[in-house]
């Protein structure tokens, strides 16, 4: 689990890169590089206020994957204390 002050979603990742998606820590935030298709799905999920999961890592890495989970919560005050 990584805490971040901000998240940047970059929809310019090429399918030919061999990655499903890539995540990296940038300053005190998180940058997630995703394909254009994933960006469209993410935008729709945000419009619909639905949870969304991004699988990061190489396409052929087997079980070695990282995940970026975007979750909607009921009570924001409880989740953002401190």
């Amino acid at each position: 689990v990584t805490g971040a002050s901000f998240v940047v979603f970059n929809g310019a990742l090429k399918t030919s890169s061999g990655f499903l998606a890539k995540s990296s820590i940038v300053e005190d935030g998180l940058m997630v590089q995703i394909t254009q298709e994933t960006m469209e799905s993410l935008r729709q999920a945000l419009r619909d206020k639905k949870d969304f999961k991004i699988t990061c890592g190489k396409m052929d890495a087997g079980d070695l994957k990282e995940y970026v989970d975007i979750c909607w919560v009921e009570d924001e005050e409880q989740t953002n204390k401190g």
Side-chain angles (χ1 to χ4, degrees):
V1 175
T2 302
S5 296
F6 64 90
V7 179
V8 175
F9 295 101
N10 178 341
L13 186 69
K14 302 290 182 207
T15 315
S16 61
S17 70
F19 284 91
L20 298 165
K22 292 167 68 174
S23 64
S24 55
I25 295 172
V26 179
E27 295 179 14
D28 60 342
L30 180 69
M31 180 170 67
V32 185
Q33 296 175 329
I34 55 179
T35 61
Q36 234 175 12
E37 295 80 17
T38 304
M39 180 65 88
E40 286 302 319
S41 298
L42 172 59
R43 286 181 180 153
Q44 190 59 50
L46 292 173
R47 282 187 210 106
D48 297 341
K49 295 186 179 178
K50 304 263 186 196
D51 292 351
F52 194 78
K53 185 176 201 167
I54 300 171
T55 304
C56 300
K58 286 217 169 242
M59 289 183 189
D60 58 1
D63 291 339
L64 297 173
K65 302 269 190 274
E66 294 178 0
Y67 301 94
V68 175
D69 289 320
I70 300 150
C71 304
W72 291 88
V73 295
E74 294 295 322
D75 188 3
E76 189 175 315
E77 289 181 29
Q78 295 298 323
T79 58
N80 289 328
K81 281 189 178 176

